Amino acid sequence: MSILVTAFDPFGGEKINPALEAVKALPAEIAGEKIVTVEVPTVFGKAIEAATAAIDEHQPSAVLCVGQAGGRFDITPERVAINIDDARIADNEGQQPIDEPVVEGAPPAYFATLPIKAMAQAIREAGVPSSVSNSAGTFVCNHIMFGVLHHLATVGPRETRGGFVHVPFIPEQTVGKPGQPSLSTETITKGLAAAIAAIVENESDVATAEGATH
């Protein structure tokens, strides 16, 4: 069996994407599962196409998409993806959809089918800060999460679980950005490995208090 892990190329004027750097450093196997990594473009439409093509090719037991969320302090498994593209900036091909559905006629939202609370707990137990996030945004990160979950729900494989996790900047990205938090690439990779182990080890989620206070 395998776990498919996707990560975006740099976007928004950045020369590096911490998600991609951390994913490239993952071991070949975690908790007995082969790790298959795929770089996807930060482009509306093409990101989903690349991810779903990899799903169809590898038939993984789980799909974890990883993206950058500059400004966050910790690694954040996402709870939900919404059926909306509303881009504050253009993607890497100049597209900037405003208030458009990710998939016309699809449900308003999909919840992650990964054990997000177990993932957050495992990341913290590995010594890396983590919390559950209730918004994947409305850029290409939310776009690919929704697209992957829609694909799994409608095309399959139905038994494959899917979800998304955001990671912070790495230190070199914060030069000239006073006050922006960061984690090292090594720390992010360690956290992602812990999250993947939790996916393998937990068919259902744990009942921990991870809800927002606002």
Side-chain angles (χ1 to χ4, degrees):
M1 301 297 290
S2 64
I3 305 291
L4 175 65
V5 186
T6 75
F8 291 107
D9 58 2
F11 69 95
E14 297 288 340
K15 296 180 180 180
I16 195 169
N17 191 318
L20 181 58
E21 298 307 308
V23 165
K24 287 193 297 186
L26 286 170
E29 184 177 297
I30 296 174
E33 295 264 9
K34 178 184 177 183
I35 304 303
V36 177
T37 62
V38 175
E39 179 179 343
V40 297
T42 308
V43 177
F44 289 100
K46 288 185 178 180
I48 293 174
E49 292 171 3
T52 55
I55 292 170
D56 293 343
E57 177 183 356
H58 297 286
Q59 299 287 298
S61 59
V63 184
L64 178 64
C65 301
V66 186
Q68 168 191 295
R72 293 194 184 182
F73 288 81
D74 55 358
I75 297 176
T76 50
E78 296 292 345
R79 190 190 300 264
V80 63
I82 59 174
N83 192 11
I84 196 75
D85 291 330
D86 191 12
R88 181 179 57 83
I89 61 173
D91 69 12
N92 283 351
E93 290 189 355
Q95 299 179 97
Q96 191 175 359
I98 305 295
D99 297 337
E100 296 180 9
V102 179
V103 180
E104 189 73 44
Y110 282 106
F111 284 95
T113 50
L114 299 178
I116 57 170
K117 292 185 174 183
M119 292 162 63
Q121 184 179 67
I123 295 168
R124 291 193 297 265
E125 289 174 352
V128 180
S130 180
S131 61
V132 169
S133 168
N134 293 303
S135 175
T138 54
F139 194 53
V140 190
C141 291
N142 174 80
H143 179 85
I144 196 173
M145 180 180 177
F146 187 94
V148 163
L149 291 170
H150 181 69
H151 182 83
L152 294 176
T154 58
V155 178
R158 297 296 180 89
E159 67 276 9
T160 298
R161 297 178 291 165
F164 192 96
V165 61
H166 269 118
V167 302
F169 284 140
I170 53 179
E172 48 263 54
Q173 292 180 282
T174 64
V175 176
K177 300 172 185 171
Q180 287 285 348
S182 66
L183 293 173
S184 70
T185 303
E186 294 76 15
T187 299
I188 294 172
T189 300
K190 181 181 179 182
L192 292 178
I196 292 168
I199 293 169
V200 176
E201 294 164 1
N202 291 271
E203 283 294 326
S204 58
D205 212 350
V206 297
T208 55
E210 298 281 354
T213 56
H214 54 276

